[in-house]
Amino acid sequence: MAALSHIRGLEDGTSEIRGVVLSSSANEKIVDGLRRGIGALFAGDREEHFVATPVISRRTSERAGYPTTFPQLLGAVHGSQDGDEPTATDLVLTSAACHHLYPLLAGKVLGAPTCLSVEATCYRGEKTYETGRLRSFRMYEVVRFGQAGAVEQWRDRALRSADQWLSGLGLSTRVVQASDPFFGRTGDFLARTQREQQLKWEITAELTEDLSQAIASANYHKEYFGEAFEITNTDGSETHSACLAFGLDRITLALRHAHGVDTSDWPLAVRANLAL
Ligand code: 5GP
Ligand code: ZN
């Protein structure tokens, strides 16, 4: 049975569809432990946690700017209500968990700093299928809204505590500056700006002997989403936001690489930490 306790398809190439995997109950126990760990990490900050669907309104995705900046990654829902040729519906697939939160606050004035979290199954039409690069994967995000300076400080603090927690799980992590795979002619410029302003940081860990991937990312959006969704602070300024995204499937894979496939062989402290 040992082979079945893997994330099917991730390590042993058994998935019939590249970049789409099936998670066993042994695997889900690890993911549950990660959810609890992230929840505990942000217990003092966050006011509410949400679980989102794998689909989101096309309008929200457009408002977030995703179809323009990442058209190569976006997936859409097509359907036919009357049996005709399927056409695009008003839904697309969730690209980033945090997109589900912005409509909640749209048009609102935030009287105090706000911190929310959300988990969603995301889709990205990735071109490559190296270990840990999935087309469909679980993302758990913590998002903080407020004044510019405070949000940036939160991003830095959140990144540090996430890195400490992940290192405490026995992962050899690195914190590196990063940029997103923006599309088109303006893509290079956007990526350069993102790097110059240090807006995106990633925590990487080994998933195989010779492959490290981002297991978490911290993004400071500045006023981007505040402007797009008309969220303001009490002084009338656009609210700033930052998110810390954990890739639950990738962290699981990094843990299996570090400690072995069978969780009963894992270090006691790690098992206790994840309640395994
Ligand atoms: P970002 O929005 O920064 O690209 O992604 C947020 C987090 O989601 C990343 O740090 C990573 O852990 C996870 N992630 C991004 N792309 C993939 C992917 O293709 N497969 C998996 N399993 N996780 C991903
Ligand atoms: Zn986000």
Side-chain angles (χ1 to χ4, degrees):
M1 284 300 278
L4 288 181
S5 67
H6 294 207
I7 302 181
R8 192 168 155 82
L10 263 182
E11 287 145 299
D12 53 10
T14 53
S15 175
E16 287 169 26
I17 313 165
R18 291 195 301 171
V20 177
V21 295
L22 192 61
S23 183
S24 66
S25 58
N27 206 70
E28 288 307 290
K29 273 189 87 170
I30 304 173
V31 173
D32 273 341
L34 295 176
R35 288 186 181 111
R36 272 194 303 275
I38 300 166
L41 216 52
F42 293 95
D45 271 3
R46 77 160 175 203
E47 289 137 61
E48 183 65 88
H49 177 69
F50 298 91
V51 177
T53 58
V55 294
I56 191 165
S57 109
R58 180 184 294 276
R59 174 83 191 101
T60 299
S61 178
E62 284 169 358
R63 232 174 147 179
Y66 206 85
T68 328
T69 37
F70 306 102
Q72 79 282 21
L73 299 178
L74 183 70
V77 179
H78 284 63
S80 162
Q81 285 187 332
D82 43 21
D84 290 345
E85 208 38 37
T87 51
T89 67
D90 58 344
L91 297 174
V92 294
L93 302 181
T94 301
S95 308
C98 66
H99 291 176
H100 286 279
L101 297 179
Y102 307 119
L104 280 182
L105 302 179
K108 292 205 162 50
V109 179
L110 303 183
T114 302
C115 186
L116 304 170
S117 66
V118 58
E119 181 182 331
T121 298
C122 297
Y123 170 88
R124 291 181 186 176
E126 302 284 359
K127 274 210 193 105
T128 59
Y129 301 103
E130 66 273 24
T131 304
R133 181 147 328 268
L134 301 177
R135 284 190 285 171
S136 186
F137 55 93
R138 271 90 53 93
M139 195 190 290
Y140 188 130
E141 291 205 63
V142 188
V143 189
R144 169 74 151 70
F145 300 85
Q147 298 279 358
V151 168
E152 196 172 6
Q153 279 164 22
W154 178 88
R155 194 270 317 258
D156 294 344
R157 243 190 0 258
L159 181 65
R160 260 199 312 277
S161 56
D163 185 43
Q164 271 165 17
W165 173 63
L166 290 163
S167 306
L169 292 177
L171 299 177
S172 301
T173 58
R174 286 183 60 215
V175 176
V176 294
Q177 220 186 300
S179 62
D180 282 312
F182 295 110
F183 190 75
R185 248 190 303 154
T186 46
D188 284 348
F189 168 73
L190 290 173
R192 211 170 43 242
T193 310
Q194 209 176 24
R195 277 194 302 272
E196 274 164 14
Q197 301 191 10
Q198 306 200 335
L199 300 179
K200 187 177 188 79
W201 293 88
E202 289 178 344
I203 301 175
T204 66
E206 266 193 9
L207 302 192
T208 69
E209 287 280 292
D210 37 32
L211 179 72
S212 287
Q213 296 265 37
I215 54 172
S217 324
N219 300 284
Y220 175 33
H221 315 126
K222 302 182 94 170
E223 73 283 16
Y224 183 85
F225 289 111
E227 202 173 289
F229 289 87
E230 295 169 27
I231 313 168
T232 49
N233 299 313
T234 37
D235 61 5
S237 61
E238 267 131 7
T239 196
H240 281 226
S241 61
C243 65
L244 177 62
F246 295 88
L248 297 177
D249 299 292
R250 276 198 188 161
I251 301 174
T252 305
L253 205 53
L255 287 167
R256 284 190 186 284
H257 173 65
H259 304 309
V261 167
D262 191 345
T263 51
S264 57
D265 296 334
W266 287 16
L268 266 181
V270 177
R271 290 176 59 196
N273 200 320
L274 295 172
L276 295 174

